[in-house]
């Protein structure tokens, strides 16, 4: 009873802190100003206060859902193939948190329509609500979040295996993202940087705060000290990600350094920074002192600090919601006297030049983060191997690093800008991402490095990164996807479906769709070339002759695709390219045919390199087989016992003698 009372008191204090911070932030930032201009309708006080209140409720429920599922699936030791008893309890609690999350997100649809139209909730009709939810980006995001939260609620009740629990945690983290692609960040210039930065910020904070809440709920677990150490490593990474992404997002919305000191929005940002510094200081105290106290059997100091950190972060969450409702020093309307800036997120580039292609960057936090983490993690693995006395080929390191740097170059330099407005440059970007970058990444053998460098957990019931990687490699789904025919089909079907199926224009119009498209280029190419020329474990053992045939089919499909585009008389994604077409560029059809020619010619070089590697492996496989047969023949001659080849030849001779 005392433990339950303490838990309720902590929950009440945390929620109360978040609510007070929200109300103070809304009042200070001017987000609930009830004054309206003459002749302009207002939504009324219910909507003005319900919007931030429901947003805070959805935020808290989402953070608790993410923290609970991640703690149950990844932080707690398991019980064989099942989650621990405490993990099972956490998943059951997450069901109710996810349902609350879904309800708050669904209610936000109603009140957002009221806010946008300036009509009280009682005056709305079904057509207006349905139109907003199905046709407007902000409504679609809330609808997606509602559906994903309901999916989490269902998955949290689907058994106790650790695999489904991990899937539940991943879906919960995905449910955080849709609203991040609307609001201040999505309406700002440079939204390639701001939107992805906000998404990273939301996920990092949710893992940090939600993980802490989940940790406190399992504090009576007998291996709580080890679980706290694993969370501490996660929290440190989340602190770094939160600080960097938060600084970038705030910089885009503030517009200038002076606004940080001269505006109310900037003052709220400073309060969030102070909260982050306080939480970081508490985390440092955890790592230096209280984790040692936990190992010695003294948990009270850790619990006091953890509760204090949770309260501080709850206040920061309230301020974050207030900031999302407060006017920024750079109003969203400034992004668009020119509608192209609002559509693209940047000014239309000038005529193509070397300086424009490589010297006018378009930074995107998603790819910058991917490149940075990929290079740092790979380098850490190589250092760990060499420290243990195990060599690692420098050529593999160069191949991996070169692939990631090339990935960052074609997505974050001026090439990325021109790829938005010219089909020809987009096609070059596509070819590089789907053929050159994957070949270089496959040459780095990242799976082999990970399996050698990652350490096994001390507790056999804990699944670390290495154990999860092995589970993925041995799963039926991965075996299916890595079949050569399936990998070839995914590569070819996505190529034809994107350009001939009418998907390109839709994906280019949405930042999330554009990110998904570019990521798919890399993944589809990586899977195909990993199957063809990869050296990592987990690949099917297939004779190089068959793999050569598969690669030849991929080359033929690619060449035929280029031929189809060259002969086409209709413009692909005409609605998009008509809206963004520069005045200095050639006609849409001429640019499309230029892109088709570049795709046809560009793909020949990497395809030829892969073909040479496959033929070389084919020759070596035949040489090894012949050497094996020679050794068997030598053994047969030395022992007098015929080998398999001799017995087969004798069988053929006997069969020939029996013929009339």
């Amino acid at each position: 009873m005392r433990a339950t009372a303490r838990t309720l008191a902590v929950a009440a204090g945390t929620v109360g802190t978040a609510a007070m911070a929200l109300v103070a932030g809304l009042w200070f930032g001017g987000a609930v100003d009830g004054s309206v201009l003459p002749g302009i309708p207002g939504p009324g006080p219910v909507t003005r206060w319900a919007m931030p209140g429901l947003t805070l409720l959805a935020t808290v429920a989402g953070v608790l859902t993410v923290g609970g599922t991640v703690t149950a699936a990844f932080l707690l030791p398991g019980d064989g193939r099942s989650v621990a008893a405490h993990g099972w309890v956490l998943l059951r609690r997450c069901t109710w948190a996810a349902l609350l999350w879904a309800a708050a997100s669904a209610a936000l649809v109603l009140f957002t329509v009221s806010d946008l139209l300036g009509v009280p909730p009682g005056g709305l009709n079904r057509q207006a609500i349905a139109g907003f939810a199905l046709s407007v980006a902000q409504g679609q995001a809330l609808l997606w979040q509602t559906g994903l939260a309901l999916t989490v609620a269902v998955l949290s009740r689907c058994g106790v295996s650790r695999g489904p629990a991990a899937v539940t945690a991943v879906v919960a983290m995905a449910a955080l993202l849709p609203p991040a692609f609307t609001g201040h960040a999505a309406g700002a210039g440079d939204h390639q940087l701001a939107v992805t930065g906000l998404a990273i910020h939301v996920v990092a904070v949710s893992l940090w705060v939600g993980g802490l809440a989940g940790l406190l709920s399992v504090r009576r677990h007998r291996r709580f000290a080890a679980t706290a150490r694993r969370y501490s490593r996660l929290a440190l990474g989340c602190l770094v990600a939160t600080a960097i992404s938060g600084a970038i997002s705030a910089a885009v919305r503030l517009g200038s350094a002076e606004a940080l000191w001269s505006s109310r929005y900037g003052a709220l940002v400073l309060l969030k920074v102070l909260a982050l510094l306080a939480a970081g200081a508490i985390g440092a105290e955890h790592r230096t002192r209280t984790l040692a106290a936990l190992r010695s059997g003294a948990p009270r100091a850790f619990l006091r600090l953890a509760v204090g950190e949770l309260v501080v972060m709850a206040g920061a969450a309230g301020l974050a919601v207030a900031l999302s409702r407060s006017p920024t020093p750079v109003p969203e309307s400034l992004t668009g006297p020119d509608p192209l800036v609002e559509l693209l997120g940047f000014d239309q580039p000038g005529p193509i030049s070397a300086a424009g292609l490589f010297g006018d960057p378009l930074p995107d936090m998603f790819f910058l983060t991917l490149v940075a983490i990929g290079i740092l993690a790979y380098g850490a693995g190589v250092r760990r191997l060499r420290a243990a006395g195990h060599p690692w080929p420098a050529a593999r390191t160069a191949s991996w690093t070169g692939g990631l740097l090339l990935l960052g170059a074609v997505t974050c330099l001026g090439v990325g800008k021109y790829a938005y407005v010219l089909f020809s440059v987009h096609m070059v970007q596509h070819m590089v991402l789907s053929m050159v970058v994957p070949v270089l990444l496959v040459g780095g053998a990242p799976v082999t490095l990970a399996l050698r460098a990652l350490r096994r957990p001390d507790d056999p019931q804990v699944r670390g990164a290495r154990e999860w990687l092995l589970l993925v490699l041995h799963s039926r789904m991965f075996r299916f996807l890595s079949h050569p025919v399936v990998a070839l089909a995914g590569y070819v079907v996505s190529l034809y479906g994107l350009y001939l199926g009418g998907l390109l224009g839709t994906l280019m119009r949405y930042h999330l769709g554009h990110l998904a498209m570019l990521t798919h280029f890399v993944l589809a190419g990586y899977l195909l070339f990993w199957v063809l020329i990869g050296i990592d474990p987990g690949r099917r053992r297939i004779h190089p002759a068959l793999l050569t045939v598969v690669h030849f089919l991929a080359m033929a499909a690619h060449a035929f695709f280029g031929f189809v585009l060259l002969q086409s008389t209709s413009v692909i994604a005409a609605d998009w390219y008509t809206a963004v077409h520069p005045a200095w560029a050639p006609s849409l059809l001429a640019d499309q045919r230029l892109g088709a020619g570049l795709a046809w010619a560009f793909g020949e070089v990497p395809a030829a390199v892969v073909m040479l590697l496959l033929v070389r492996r084919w020759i070596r496989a035949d040489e090894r087989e012949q050497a094996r047969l020679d050794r068997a023949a030598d053994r047969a001659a030395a022992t007098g016992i015929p080998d398999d080849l001799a017995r087969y030849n004798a069988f053929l001779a006997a069969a020939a003698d029996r013929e009339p």
Side-chain angles (χ1 to χ4, degrees), residues 362-602:
L362 179 68
D364 189 297
M365 274 294 292
F366 177 77
F367 291 108
L368 290 176
T369 303
L370 193 65
V371 170
I373 292 178
I375 292 177
L376 291 175
Y378 195 95
V382 172
R383 285 195 300 272
R384 180 174 291 181
L385 280 185
R386 290 179 176 173
H390 304 297
W392 184 258
R396 293 183 183 178
T397 303
S399 181
W400 175 264
T401 305
L404 285 177
L405 291 177
L406 184 59
L407 169 64
V410 297
T411 55
C412 298
L413 292 181
V415 177
K417 284 187 176 182
Y418 286 103
Y420 270 97
V421 300
L422 293 177
F423 181 87
S424 56
V425 181
H426 165 80
M427 188 55 67
V428 171
Q429 185 187 53
H430 181 174
M431 293 301 104
V432 173
L433 292 177
S434 63
M435 301 190 75
V436 182
V437 169
V439 171
L440 292 173
L441 296 181
V442 168
V447 176
T448 302
L449 177 64
L451 293 177
R452 292 182 184 179
L454 291 173
R455 296 170 181 169
R456 293 180 175 86
D458 297 332
D459 188 345
Q461 292 297 335
V462 173
R463 285 182 181 174
R466 187 177 187 276
E467 286 68 32
W468 284 108
L469 177 58
L470 287 173
L471 282 173
V472 171
L473 290 175
H474 296 154
S475 65
R476 294 181 180 179
M477 179 60 70
F478 186 78
R479 293 287 291 174
F480 171 76
L481 293 176
S482 61
H483 191 283
V485 176
V486 177
L488 174 64
Y491 184 83
V492 174
V493 171
S494 62
L495 180 67
Y496 284 81
L498 175 65
Y499 295 103
L500 304 182
L503 291 176
L504 179 61
T506 302
L507 295 176
M508 293 290 285
R509 191 169 295 276
Y510 298 99
H511 182 62
L512 180 59
H514 189 256
L515 287 180
M517 177 178 63
L518 298 185
T519 304
H520 175 76
F521 292 160
V522 178
L523 293 180
Y526 183 90
L527 182 61
L528 177 63
F529 292 114
W530 186 79
V531 170
L532 294 176
I533 60 173
I535 58 176
D536 287 321
R539 295 174 62 250
R540 295 173 181 266
R541 294 194 175 188
I542 300 175
H543 195 278
L546 295 177
L547 295 178
T548 303
V549 172
V550 172
H551 181 54
F552 178 79
L553 293 175
M555 292 173 60
H558 187 273
F560 183 72
F561 169 76
F563 176 78
V564 170
L565 284 188
L566 281 172
Q567 299 300 316
S568 176
T569 57
S570 60
V571 177
I572 296 174
D575 56 341
W576 170 261
Y577 285 110
T578 300
V580 301
H581 190 66
W584 49 262
S587 67
L588 294 179
L589 191 58
D591 184 64
Q592 179 175 301
R593 288 176 176 170
L594 174 61
L598 290 172
W600 196 356
F602 185 90

Side-chain angles (χ1 to χ4, degrees), residues 80-320:
R81 299 181 62 181
S82 303
V83 298
H86 285 77
W88 181 86
V89 173
L90 263 182
L91 288 175
R92 292 305 182 268
R93 292 175 179 173
C94 288
T95 302
W96 302 108
L99 289 174
L100 181 62
W101 189 8
S105 299
L108 275 171
V109 174
L110 171 67
F111 285 100
T112 304
V113 176
S114 170
D115 186 49
L116 291 176
L117 298 181
V119 178
L124 297 174
N125 55 54
R126 294 181 180 179
Q127 289 78 10
I129 299 173
F132 172 78
L134 299 176
S135 304
V136 180
Q138 193 173 0
Q140 292 171 342
L142 291 172
L143 202 61
W144 269 103
Q145 187 172 67
T146 302
L148 290 173
L150 290 174
T151 303
V152 172
V154 173
L155 290 175
S156 64
R157 296 278 173 163
C158 292
V160 294
S161 297
R162 286 200 271 185
V167 172
T168 305
V170 172
V171 175
M173 285 186 281
L176 295 168
L177 298 178
F181 290 89
T182 59
H184 289 327
D190 294 328
H191 62 240
Q192 287 80 7
L193 190 66
V195 170
T196 312
L198 179 60
I200 295 172
H201 188 77
V202 169
V203 173
V205 170
S206 298
L207 287 173
W208 183 6
V209 182
L212 182 60
L215 190 69
L216 287 174
S217 65
V218 297
R219 61 185 181 276
R220 296 186 179 276
H221 192 278
R222 65 182 185 278
R223 297 172 185 167
F224 177 69
T227 303
R229 287 198 302 274
R230 286 189 290 276
Y231 166 76
S232 180
R233 292 191 290 269
L234 172 66
L236 180 60
C238 290
L239 171 63
V240 175
T242 300
I244 296 175
S245 60
I248 292 174
S249 298
V252 171
R253 295 172 192 156
L254 287 169
S256 64
E258 292 77 10
L260 188 63
W261 314 101
S262 60
S263 66
R264 294 194 173 192
Y265 190 93
L268 292 177
V269 170
L270 288 176
L271 288 176
K272 272 195 67 180
V273 171
L274 292 176
L276 178 66
L277 292 175
I282 295 174
E285 184 72 11
H286 278 315
R287 295 181 66 86
T288 55
R289 296 186 182 182
T290 57
L291 288 180
L294 274 179
R295 289 193 295 269
S296 63
R300 290 187 177 276
F302 177 86
L303 295 179
R304 285 194 296 268
L305 279 176
V307 170
E309 184 179 3
L310 194 62
V311 171
V312 169
M313 294 306 296
L319 290 174

